[in-house]
């Protein structure tokens, strides 16, 4: 069975493009539009990898990542930040919150799909 990927992203056009490209490669893709919804969906589907935006309503990506890392069933889930914030402090905060990787937005969809595949092979 192909891997389950959860996209927690509040900008629907971005989420839709990522979802389309991952599904085209056979991934089972689920979406959430904010941190709270992302946590609930992650508990429900137990994804193999979560693509997490930093700036989201209700609960930002850093808080969401910290909460996800406390959930026993999600300890081995790969968490990758996908954010427009490229500052060093944002990236460090992502890693300190428990992320496995941090990707700055404006990444080409095919490159993102390749990165997801590589991370899942390693993880």
């Amino acid at each position: 069975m192909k891997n389950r990927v959860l996209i927690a992203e509040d900008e629907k056009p971005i989420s839709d493009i990522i979802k389309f490209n991952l599904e085209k490669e056979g991934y089972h893709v689920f979406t959430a539009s904010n941190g709270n919804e992302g946590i609930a969906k992650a508990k429900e589907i137990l994804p193999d990898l979560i693509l997490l935006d930093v700036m989201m309503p209700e609960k930002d990506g850093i808080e969401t990542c910290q909460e996800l890392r406390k959930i026993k069933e999600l300890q081995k889930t790969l968490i990758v930040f996908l954010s427009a914030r490229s500052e060093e402090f944002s990236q460090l905060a992502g890693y300190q919150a428990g992320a496995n990787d941090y990707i700055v937005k404006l990444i080409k969809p095919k490159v993102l799909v390749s990165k997801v595949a590589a991370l899942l092979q390693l993880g």
Side-chain angles (χ1 to χ4, degrees):
M1 181 173 129
K2 260 295 197 183
N3 295 97
R4 290 179 311 280
V5 177
L6 172 62
I7 303 166
E9 165 67 63
D10 63 320
E11 293 182 50
K12 189 164 171 25
I14 292 172
S15 182
D16 287 347
I17 289 168
I18 297 168
K19 182 177 186 205
F20 172 80
N21 283 280
L22 288 171
E23 285 180 340
K24 203 164 67 171
E25 295 300 316
Y27 293 97
H28 299 287
V29 183
F30 305 85
T31 59
S33 59
N34 62 60
N36 289 328
E37 186 184 343
I39 291 167
K41 189 84 59 130
K43 286 179 182 177
E44 177 189 333
I45 65 167
L46 301 176
D48 301 292
L49 184 140
I50 300 170
L51 289 172
L52 188 57
D53 188 13
V54 172
M55 296 180 288
M56 290 187 294
E58 294 185 33
K59 189 178 301 261
D60 71 26
I62 300 295
E63 292 173 300
T64 301
C65 184
Q66 289 168 335
E67 279 198 39
L68 289 167
R69 285 294 177 222
K70 293 176 186 170
I71 300 167
K72 184 175 167 248
E73 297 80 12
L74 298 171
Q75 296 276 306
K76 294 187 191 276
T77 298
L78 295 170
I79 299 177
V80 178
F81 278 104
L82 185 61
S83 178
R85 306 213 44 180
S86 61
E87 309 89 3
E88 182 179 350
F89 73 87
S90 291
Q91 293 182 41
L92 290 172
Y95 288 116
Q96 289 165 353
N100 298 94
D101 205 351
Y102 191 109
I103 301 169
V104 177
K105 278 186 188 167
L106 294 180
I107 185 170
K108 301 253 185 277
K110 286 184 180 175
V111 175
L112 179 61
V113 169
S114 294
K115 188 146 181 107
V116 165
L119 285 164
L120 286 167
Q121 284 178 343
L122 292 172

